[in-house]
Amino acid sequence: MTTLSVNINKIATLRNARGENTPDVEKVAADCERFGAQGITVHPRPDERHIRRSDVMALRGVIRTEFNIEGNPTPEFMDLVLKAHPEQVTLVPDAADAITSSDGWDVDAHFDFLTGIVDRLRDAGIRSSIFVRPDVAAVKRAAATGADRVELYTKPYADMYHKDRAAAVAPYVEASVAAHKSGIGVNAGHDLNLENLEYFAKELPYLDEVSIGHALICDALYKGLEETIKEYRKCLEK
């Protein structure tokens, strides 16, 4: 079964807009799990415009499923994740001022760096995942770093879905098969939603996990958080 990790960055964005503690990020994380989420994802950025370092540490004591922390593995980020000790760290090549993740790693260009980061995470008992485009060569190189998983960047799929969904998903199927043959797991995320998720999950043969935040929180404004999580979970049933 493909598991659903709910990214709660947007909850923190809403809280920070008022400067108080509503909505309560820790309570929302616990509620997401209670409503069926199988993991919680956060992506702390250097300016703390949504998830703060203090949130990460507080959430570690709340989350009972899987805690996934995404980010660019700067020294500050690595210090944070090694202290928080989540189940998974997803390595994303974001610039400090990035609005959102916009591309995968050039694994060849950063191979030695990524290998060193993966080694540190493994030594700490933390699963590693490298954010890549759906490219077979990139997947194989990510596997060669010793990473446990790749996370496939799915915005290109989402952008093309309504035009030609079979063509849109084809490179992801190839990448998923390549990852499986290389002995690593497959995650996916970015712009997946209730319209395109079911088909994506059905077509990919080795999809372990999806991480969804923006679309899910937007849907929850209309449907409620509990019903929304149930609908996303249903999309992942095979």
Side-chain angles (χ1 to χ4, degrees):
M1 176 181 287
T2 303
T3 60
L4 171 66
S5 185
V6 175
N7 186 317
I8 59 172
N9 277 14
K10 288 298 184 293
I11 301 299
T13 301
L14 182 59
R15 176 202 61 189
N16 294 353
R18 189 63 179 262
E20 298 176 353
N21 194 41
T22 302
D24 184 325
V25 169
E26 294 171 53
K27 183 178 186 305
V28 171
D31 285 341
C32 285
E33 291 183 315
R34 184 163 58 88
F35 297 151
Q38 295 143 304
I40 300 295
T41 292
V42 297
H43 190 146
R45 287 187 164 86
D47 61 7
E48 297 193 318
R49 64 180 180 269
H50 36 64
I51 289 293
R52 301 167 179 156
R53 291 176 65 91
S54 58
D55 292 327
V56 172
M57 300 310 298
L59 285 165
R60 176 66 288 180
V62 172
I63 294 169
R64 297 291 178 263
T65 55
E66 177 194 274
F67 194 15
N68 173 45
I69 304 178
E70 300 179 340
N72 193 327
T74 62
E76 295 77 14
F77 178 85
M78 291 301 295
D79 177 67
L80 178 63
V81 299
L82 291 173
K83 287 179 179 177
H85 206 276
E87 283 71 30
Q88 177 174 267
V89 168
T90 301
L91 307 174
V92 183
D94 276 349
D97 59 351
I99 295 175
T100 186
S101 304
S102 58
D103 205 352
W105 286 95
D106 180 339
V107 184
D108 267 335
H110 299 92
F111 184 82
D112 291 341
F113 171 71
L114 289 170
T115 300
I117 295 295
V118 166
D119 286 346
R120 291 181 66 190
L121 294 172
R122 182 187 304 106
D123 289 345
I126 300 171
R127 186 170 74 232
S128 59
S129 179
I130 297 180
F131 195 65
V132 296
R133 280 185 168 262
D135 175 80
V136 169
V139 168
K140 289 181 177 179
R141 288 297 279 165
T145 69
D148 300 293
R149 295 186 183 184
V150 289
E151 178 170 327
L152 302 178
Y153 173 53
T154 48
K155 180 173 172 55
Y157 163 77
D159 289 345
M160 192 178 178
Y161 175 78
H162 288 291
K163 181 178 180 180
D164 187 341
R165 66 181 189 175
V169 82
Y172 293 87
V173 174
E174 292 179 4
S176 182
V177 170
H180 182 72
K181 288 181 177 179
S182 299
I184 61 173
V186 179
N187 298 342
H190 210 290
D191 285 1
L192 295 173
N193 57 42
L194 288 174
E195 291 185 351
N196 61 39
L197 178 60
E198 183 174 4
Y199 179 76
F200 185 83
K202 178 173 66 71
E203 292 297 309
L204 260 67
Y206 305 108
L207 183 60
D208 292 300
E209 175 185 296
V210 294
S211 174
I212 304 177
H214 184 81
L216 189 150
I217 300 304
C218 289
D219 288 331
L221 293 175
Y222 291 91
K223 301 171 180 288
L225 188 58
E226 182 173 7
E227 178 59 29
T228 298
I229 289 174
K230 287 179 180 178
E231 291 191 22
Y232 275 87
R233 283 285 306 274
K234 187 176 180 179
C235 288
L236 298 172
E237 294 176 0
K238 295 185 179 181

